[in-house]
Amino acid sequence: MATWIFTATSRTGQPVNTITGASTDSIAVYSKADLDRRIAAAKNDPRDLIITVEPID
């Protein structure tokens, strides 16, 4: 099973992590469909996010 680390960082410094208020947050993603949904949502996010996806095995 493929796994990725999905990281979102706000270019404008707005909070991405709702718990800590940090402008960067990462999450492990375990399915391609979930990864695709997160990427699509990030493209439309008003916080102007920088997205990185790193494969891990």
Side-chain angles (χ1 to χ4, degrees), residues 1-4 28-39:
M1 174 192 289
T3 305
W4 301 269
V29 180
Y30 299 98
S31 77
K32 180 72 168 120
D34 187 22
L35 179 64
D36 292 342
R37 280 191 297 272
R38 290 176 185 278
I39 292 171

Side-chain angles (χ1 to χ4, degrees), residues 33-53:
D34 187 22
L35 179 64
D36 292 342
R37 280 191 297 272
R38 290 176 185 278
I39 292 171
K43 287 180 180 178
N44 295 313
D45 193 289
R47 293 171 288 193
D48 193 18
L49 299 176
I50 299 169
I51 300 301
T52 59
V53 177

Side-chain angles (χ1 to χ4, degrees), residues 2 13-14 23 45:
Q14 296 180 18
S23 62
D45 193 289

Side-chain angles (χ1 to χ4, degrees), residues 6-27:
F6 176 90
T7 302
T9 302
S10 172
R11 293 178 205 257
T12 60
Q14 296 180 18
V16 175
N17 184 316
T18 57
I19 296 171
T20 66
S23 62
T24 299
D25 196 17
S26 296
I27 188 168

